[in-house]
Amino acid sequence: MQRHLLLTIGQDQTSWYKLDFIADLFPDKTEVLLTLFSVAHNPGTPPPDPACAGRTPGSVQTPAQTPSCSEADQALLHEARNRLMTKGFSSENLLLKVACSGRGALDEITCEGSGGLYDAAVLGRRGLTWIEELVADSVSSNLLLRRVDFPIWVCRRRTNGESGVLLCVSDTRHSLRMADHVGFVLGPDSAHPVTILHVGEEATAPSVLAAAAAELTVNGFPPELVRTKVRQDKNVARAILEEAAEGNYMAVAVGMSPASSGYLETLFPAHMCFKLLRKMDCPALWVSR
C-alpha cells in the first residue's frame, strides 16, 4: 500500500526536521514515495496564467530538466535526497521537483498539492505562516481554503523519542475523514499506536470513538494499536494541548470543517488548528478537511 507525500524543502535548517519525522514515522520505507519539492529563489519568467499555468501538477521534473532554476535549488534537493537515503529510503522512491513559475511559495504548494494526487503535503516551521495566510484569505473569499483539498502536515521540531498519533475527533464528517487519513497513512505495518481523543460528554463519547476506530481499521490499521480517551472540558484546544503534552505524541491530527461552513467554523472549531499550531510542542500537527 504505497503512500505518496509531497515534502517541501526550504533553505532554512528547520526544513530538515520533516526528514527526521518521516524517517521515524515509517519503519518500512519501501512503500513510501516522496516528492521533494522546492520553490526556486531565482525563477524564470512567470507564465501569464496565474492558476497553475506553465506546468503539470503531479508530474515530476528532476533539477536537470528545469534549466530556469538555479544550481542552489538543485543542490538543495540533492542534499535532502542524500539525507533521506542515509535514513533508509531508496533513491528510486525519492523524486525531485523545482517550481520555477515565479509565483509565491504558498501558491506553488497549493497548486502542486491539489493536482498531484498526494496523500499529504509536509511543511516545515513556515507552515504556521502559510496557515495564517489561509485563515486571513478565507475571510473574504475562501478561495485558498477551497483549493487546499489535501492533508497538511506541519513539522515544528525534530523528533526525540515521541511515539504515536493523537487523533482528535468529534461527531463530524471531517473528523472521520481525518481518521481515514491516519489509518491509511500509518497502515497495517504501523509502528505507532493511535490514541483517539474526544473532548466532550461521556454519554456521547462511545459512538464518536467507535466511528473513528472503524475508519482507522478499515484501512488495515491494527486494532490492537487503537487507544481511546475522553476529556470533559469546554475549552477544546486546552484539552488537546494538555493531552498532547502528557502523552508525548509524535503527531496530533485534527479535521477542518468544509469551506462551505460559516467563517467562524471554517477551521476545526474556532480555528482549532491555528491555536494548536501556535501553542503545541509536539513534532507535528496534521490537518485535513
Side-chain angles (χ1 to χ4, degrees), residues 235-257:
N235 189 324
V236 180
R238 178 176 61 198
I240 294 174
L241 289 168
E242 289 178 353
E243 177 60 35
E246 294 171 9
N248 198 35
Y249 297 99
M250 190 174 184
V252 173
V254 299
M256 295 193 304
S257 57

Side-chain angles (χ1 to χ4, degrees), residues 26-264:
F26 297 109
D28 180 5
K29 298 170 175 58
T30 58
E31 293 298 318
V32 181
L33 181 65
L34 303 176
T35 292
L36 310 184
F37 184 72
S38 177
V39 178
H41 282 70
N42 298 302
T45 303
D49 181 2
C52 301
R55 63 186 179 86
T56 303
S59 64
V60 175
Q61 297 173 296
T62 65
Q65 295 171 314
T66 52
S68 61
C69 301
S70 71
E71 291 184 3
D73 299 312
Q74 300 175 26
L76 186 67
L77 291 182
H78 281 291
E79 182 181 357
R81 182 179 64 181
N82 290 339
R83 290 197 186 197
L84 285 167
M85 289 174 63
T86 65
K87 295 178 183 295
F89 290 92
S90 66
S91 59
E92 293 80 9
N93 285 2
L94 302 175
L95 312 176
L96 310 183
K97 188 170 185 180
V98 181
C100 304
S101 72
R103 291 185 293 269
L106 178 60
D107 287 336
E108 291 287 9
I109 292 169
T110 54
C111 178
E112 179 65 23
S114 295
L117 300 178
Y118 299 101
D119 294 306
V122 187
L123 312 180
R125 182 174 292 179
R126 279 210 62 206
L128 174 59
T129 303
W130 289 327
I131 291 291
E132 286 179 323
E133 292 182 35
L134 288 174
V135 173
D137 185 80
S138 68
V139 176
S140 58
S141 67
N142 277 328
L143 175 61
L144 285 177
L145 194 56
R146 283 199 299 270
R147 285 171 58 192
V148 179
D149 55 0
F150 50 91
I152 297 173
W153 299 1
V154 180
C155 296
R156 302 295 304 277
R157 59 173 176 83
R158 294 186 186 279
T159 51
N160 187 29
E162 297 89 352
S163 179
V165 174
L166 179 64
L167 171 61
C168 309
V169 299
S170 60
D171 56 348
T172 55
R173 285 176 294 176
H174 49 279
S175 285
L176 294 180
R177 283 193 293 270
M178 175 50 86
D180 176 73
H181 172 68
V182 172
F184 172 77
V185 169
L186 295 181
D189 58 345
S190 176
H192 297 277
V194 172
T195 298
I196 307 173
L197 173 66
H198 175 62
V199 182
E201 297 297 328
E202 290 278 0
T204 61
S207 60
V208 174
L209 296 173
E215 290 294 333
L216 278 174
T217 55
V218 75
N219 288 291
F221 185 82
E224 63 271 18
L225 294 182
V226 178
R227 319 276 191 264
T228 59
K229 285 196 174 184
V230 179
R231 282 181 176 260
Q232 297 187 49
D233 195 327
K234 291 183 178 180
N235 189 324
V236 180
R238 178 176 61 198
I240 294 174
L241 289 168
E242 289 178 353
E243 177 60 35
E246 294 171 9
N248 198 35
Y249 297 99
M250 190 174 184
V252 173
V254 299
M256 295 193 304
S257 57
S260 59
S261 300
Y263 172 64
L264 291 179

